[in-house]
């Protein structure tokens, strides 16, 4: 079975927690046929990492090069010295450096973007920059309006830094906080879970820096919840401004039972900005894992259509 190559790119500020030049990791799936000039950049959700896209990457690599990123603090990427820098502006700057690197590697490359949840927000920030904008944009279960209740739900488990006495116990825990992903076979769930785990001294830990939760908990844990909600609304207004400025053809994926992307927001995204075409998947909440055949096909058909 095809496997990706692990690559690293030195990125700039903010600093790594080690004090060394900070590295961002990405998983590089070479194109099986053709010249590799079509590149699909895949960016994961808040507590995930680049190997989430293995199934999609294997399908797309028949005709495209696929680059699946470990965002700062996750997977094989370095952790940050300042936890308050774990926010979209930092991630967007890192991905801008990667896009420039890819364009330098392959002049004239056609670059598309697939972003799940947080990865979609990063994609929106990148897509409004003419020098970086992807040709086509896929937003997986995310939009400018993010439900406050979903943020509170995520903050209850993000950054807890649990450890487990077995690999299976760790996978069971991940299943318990990922019910929105919908049904998966045991093999599919194992493939999605194992890259998220690190074994140290006989115990299993999650792959990410627990401090990635600091900015979110600073918001949802504010004593003045009215002020917190106002900050969230201000952020939403800024995101709508980004979305309205996007010109790339956009595909919006939504889980039917998503608590983060509402039907009303999805409908509004179909009327504003790039007027995204929405595909809804039954039996799934937040977020589609892009493992099921129909989810993979929706993206493949969108990116490979003339």
């Amino acid at each position: 079975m095809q496997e990706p190559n692990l690559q690293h790119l030195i990125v700039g500020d903010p600093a790594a927690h080690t004090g060394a030049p900070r590295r961002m990791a990405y998983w590089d799936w070479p194109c099986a046929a053709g010249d590799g000039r079509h590149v699909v950049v895949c960016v994961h959700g808040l507590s995930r990492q680049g190997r989430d896209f293995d199934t999609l990457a294997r399908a797309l690599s028949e005709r495209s090069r696929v680059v699946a990123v470990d965002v700062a603090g996750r997977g094989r990427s370095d952790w940050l010295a300042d936890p308050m820098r774990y926010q979209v502006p930092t991630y967007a700057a890192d991905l801008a450096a990667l896009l420039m690197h890819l364009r330098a590697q392959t002049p004239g490359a056609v670059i598309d973007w697939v972003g799940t949840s947080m990865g979609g927000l990063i994609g929106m920030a990148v897509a409004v920059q003419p020098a970086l904008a992807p040709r086509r944009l896929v937003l997986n279960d995310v939009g400018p309006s993010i439900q406050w209740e979903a943020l509170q739900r995520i903050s209850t488990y993000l950054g807890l830094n649990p450890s487990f006495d077995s690999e299976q116990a760790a996978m069971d825990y991940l299943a318990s906080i990922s019910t929105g992903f919908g049904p998966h076979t045991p093999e599919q769930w194992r493939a999605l879970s194992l890259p998220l785990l690190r074994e140290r001294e006989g115990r299993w830990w999650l792959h990410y820096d627990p401090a990635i939760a600091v900015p979110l908990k600073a918001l949802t844990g504010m004593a003045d919840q009215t002020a917190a909600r106002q900050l969230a609304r201000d952020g939403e207004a800024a995101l709508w401004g980004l979305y309205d400025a996007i010109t790339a053809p956009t595909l919006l994926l939504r889980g039917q039972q998503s608590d983060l992307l509402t039907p009303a927001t999805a409908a509004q995204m179909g009327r504003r900005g790039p007027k995204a075409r929405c595909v809804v998947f039954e039996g799934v909440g937040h977020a589609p894992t892009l493992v099921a055949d129909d989810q993979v096909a929706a993206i493949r058909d969108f990116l490979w259509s003339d």
Side-chain angles (χ1 to χ4, degrees), residues 2-4 27 29 49-55 58 68-70 191-192 195:
Q2 182 183 1
E3 289 294 320
W27 301 90
W29 298 79
Q49 44 74 58
R51 297 305 298 266
D52 275 6
F53 296 99
D54 281 9
T55 298
R58 288 191 179 98
V69 177
D70 285 351
L192 282 169

Side-chain angles (χ1 to χ4, degrees), residues 63-196:
R63 289 173 45 183
S64 309
R65 177 186 177 190
V66 180
V67 173
V69 177
D70 285 351
V71 175
R74 287 85 165 170
R76 304 296 182 89
S77 287
D78 289 337
W79 296 6
L80 301 183
D82 178 2
M84 284 303 293
R85 300 294 294 275
Y86 282 124
Q87 300 197 53
V88 169
T90 296
Y91 309 146
D94 288 352
L95 268 295
L98 176 62
L99 291 173
M100 290 188 288
H101 173 71
L102 295 175
R103 293 191 188 282
Q105 275 188 332
T106 310
V110 173
I111 297 180
D112 292 332
W113 185 288
V114 177
T116 294
S117 194
M118 178 189 74
L121 298 181
I122 301 167
M124 288 167 53
V126 168
V128 299
Q129 302 179 56
L132 303 173
R135 181 195 60 153
R136 294 184 181 177
L137 174 66
V138 179
L139 301 176
N140 183 18
D141 210 64
V142 70
S145 296
I146 298 174
Q147 296 301 294
W148 180 255
E149 292 75 16
L151 294 178
Q152 291 179 311
R153 173 181 61 80
I154 294 168
S155 71
T156 62
Y157 65 79
L158 188 70
L160 292 180
N161 199 29
S163 68
F164 307 91
D165 59 10
S166 71
E167 187 179 82
Q168 186 60 52
M171 290 194 295
D172 291 344
Y173 169 77
L174 289 170
S176 74
I177 63 173
S178 307
T179 55
F181 287 2
H184 291 77
T185 67
E187 294 76 16
Q188 289 171 333
W189 187 248
R190 182 177 179 83
L192 282 169
S193 299
L194 288 185
L196 299 175

Side-chain angles (χ1 to χ4, degrees), residues 205-254:
W205 303 77
L206 299 183
H207 66 103
Y208 63 75
D209 179 1
I212 66 170
V214 169
L216 177 60
K217 290 182 181 294
L219 176 64
T220 60
M222 287 178 62
D224 187 343
Q225 285 291 285
T226 300
R229 287 174 180 266
Q230 183 58 53
L231 286 173
R233 285 192 293 270
D234 292 344
E236 178 179 319
L239 288 173
W240 275 114
L242 290 177
Y243 183 77
D244 287 339
I246 293 171
T247 58
T250 300
L251 175 67
L252 177 64
L253 307 180
R254 181 177 180 273

